[in-house]
Amino acid sequence: MHLLATGFGSGLSPIVPGTMGSIAAIPFWYLLTFLPLQIYSLVVMFGICIGVYICRRTARIWAPTITAVSCG
């Protein structure tokens, strides 16, 4: 689960972690472009819901070791 939350580790890069995460997402986005718009929209909405859940769970586990994480 932590592997997904960190973009397969790309978000843990010491240099520009957000950019590395975006670069890691490009192949997945490219594959989604071949889907019809309705399916694409459903996959994106489902991915957002699952992503929020996974990242929140990881943040709660890692929060004691990382002071910059807010688990509001």
Side-chain angles (χ1 to χ4, degrees):
M1 187 168 303
H2 303 306
L3 193 62
L4 286 174
T6 61
F8 298 104
S10 63
L12 298 175
S13 170
I15 302 170
V16 292
T19 302
M20 294 300 192
S22 297
I23 290 171
I26 289 173
F28 297 104
W29 164 80
Y30 181 73
L31 291 174
L32 286 174
T33 61
F34 294 106
L35 296 174
L37 182 59
Q38 295 83 2
I39 304 297
Y40 177 90
S41 299
L42 285 173
V43 169
V44 168
M45 287 187 283
F46 181 73
I48 289 170
C49 293
I50 295 298
V52 167
Y53 171 76
I54 289 172
C55 289
R56 184 179 180 119
R57 187 169 172 159
T58 297
R60 286 179 183 235
I61 292 170
W62 286 1
T65 60
I66 302 172
T67 58
V69 174
S70 173
C71 295

